[in-house]
Amino acid sequence: MLSSLSIEAQPGVATVRLPRDDDGDDFPDATANGTLHWAPLGNNGLRDRMAMIAEWVSTHRPTVMVVDVSVEVTMLVRLLGVPVIVVAMPGERTDPPHELAYRVAEHILAAWPENLYEPPWLVPHAAKTTYVGGISRFDGRPRPSPPSDHRPGVLVLNGSGGADLDVSAITRCATAHPEFRWSSLGVAGGPWVEDPWPQLCTADVVVSSAGQSSVADIAAAGRPAIIIAAERPFTEQRATARALERAGLAVVRPQWPDLADWPRLIDDARALGSDVWERWRTADAAARAAAVIERVAA
């Protein structure tokens, strides 16, 4: 695995830490005249990053590479003669760099169900696109039993991508509505845990943004949800939230609700039930993705 993030080592998985390419204050012609997303001229981090990837490919001779998001890495690897599987992202991906990456890709993986969200820009690539369903690291993990408390529990979940939310907002909700048990994970000023599965499974309602991992984890836990899309490039989360709302999988709001609205929203979310999340197809989604990768590699 090659990434600029610090990734905890996993058994049987070798990792390569890539240098960052966004340090500094001046990034001339970062889009290469609108052809790419991020390729600033004279950037040492970018140069070293791409050189490390090319060296790794030359040394290890992969039969396929899976590229998450980066158009630039997709093009580099394909120019080195390696088939590329591109991981699609929701939203409006109609710009020239995205279209370039999808055209050169050997295959495209979409981590959501096709019958709930088929973006028009992926339709021309339908012959080489596989919709595997939401991929969650918790797929198949046993769900712990909820606590014996008569008050419904509301968990506000925030991922590492960040959001305009801090723990004071949760405190105001708990003060205004003590009939619910309020808690948070990943919210600024509040607790963070490496393993949110127990809290996720034992919440009566989860309040979350519409990030792909968050939605897949909620689906794997089968918890009623209130989804508030965060602002992301290419309206990524808003597209996911609209798909969830259309399918009746979650209560969706465009922004953080007013204090008075919470009891109704929580009731509406609980009324949806838990079984609806089966339609997000998290069960065995990672295995389906692995099968596609193996097929392309062969």
Side-chain angles (χ1 to χ4, degrees):
M1 179 179 293
L2 293 84
S3 176
S4 54
L5 299 175
S6 177
I7 298 174
E8 183 179 350
Q10 300 292 327
V13 179
T15 60
V16 175
R17 183 75 179 271
L18 299 173
R20 297 188 65 90
D21 58 1
D22 58 353
D23 293 336
D25 300 315
D26 186 27
F27 305 105
D29 193 17
T31 68
N33 296 312
T35 306
L36 302 171
H37 285 148
W38 190 254
L41 292 171
N43 185 282
N44 291 329
L46 175 67
R47 184 181 298 111
D48 294 344
R49 176 190 187 89
M50 293 306 198
M52 286 180 65
I53 295 172
E55 182 179 4
W56 187 92
V57 169
S58 178
T59 300
H60 295 278
R61 308 288 172 140
T63 54
V64 67
M65 286 189 71
V66 181
V67 178
D68 186 7
V69 179
S70 176
V71 174
E72 295 73 29
V73 174
T74 296
M75 296 306 299
L76 171 66
V77 171
R78 182 60 186 84
L79 286 168
L80 293 172
V82 179
V84 183
I85 296 176
V86 171
V87 179
M89 297 293 285
E92 295 300 320
R93 310 285 171 168
T94 57
D95 58 297
H98 273 115
E99 177 57 25
L100 178 63
Y102 295 138
R103 278 177 26 223
V104 305
E106 190 73 15
H107 204 85
I108 301 169
L109 278 178
W112 60 80
E114 180 179 8
N115 64 323
L116 299 188
Y117 176 48
E118 185 181 17
W121 47 266
L122 260 184
V123 172
H125 310 291
K128 62 175 182 179
T129 300
T130 301
Y131 295 81
V132 298
I135 298 176
S136 170
R137 58 177 167 152
F138 301 123
D139 177 30
R141 182 171 171 179
R143 299 172 183 172
S145 301
S148 55
D149 192 316
H150 69 280
R151 295 182 303 161
V154 180
L155 171 66
V156 181
L157 187 67
N158 195 31
S160 58
D164 296 330
L165 182 67
D166 61 43
V167 75
S168 64
I170 318 303
T171 301
R172 288 193 294 272
C173 290
T175 301
H177 300 292
E179 67 272 26
F180 305 111
R181 289 180 293 108
W182 294 83
S183 61
S184 69
L185 289 177
V187 176
W192 175 279
V193 296
E194 292 296 327
D195 182 12
W197 184 245
Q199 293 95 320
L200 187 59
C201 289
T202 56
D204 292 282
V205 173
V206 179
V207 181
S208 172
S209 64
Q212 291 289 284
S213 294
S214 296
V215 170
D217 290 349
I218 294 169
R223 304 318 301 149
I226 299 170
I227 300 296
I228 305 167
E231 291 297 334
R232 291 291 185 270
F234 307 101
T235 66
E236 172 190 327
Q237 290 203 11
R238 297 201 179 279
T240 300
R242 286 193 297 268
L244 296 175
E245 187 173 37
R246 285 194 304 268
L249 302 190
V251 172
V252 172
R253 287 296 175 270
Q255 58 195 14
W256 188 255
D258 294 334
L259 275 177
D261 292 339
W262 282 106
R264 176 178 55 82
L265 295 176
I266 292 170
D267 286 346
D268 289 347
R270 298 182 72 188
L272 294 174
S274 301
D275 294 342
V276 294
W277 280 114
E278 294 179 0
R279 298 176 62 201
W280 203 245
R281 299 185 65 219
T282 54
D284 300 322
R288 287 191 290 273
V292 171
I293 295 168
E294 290 173 355
R295 187 170 71 245
V296 174

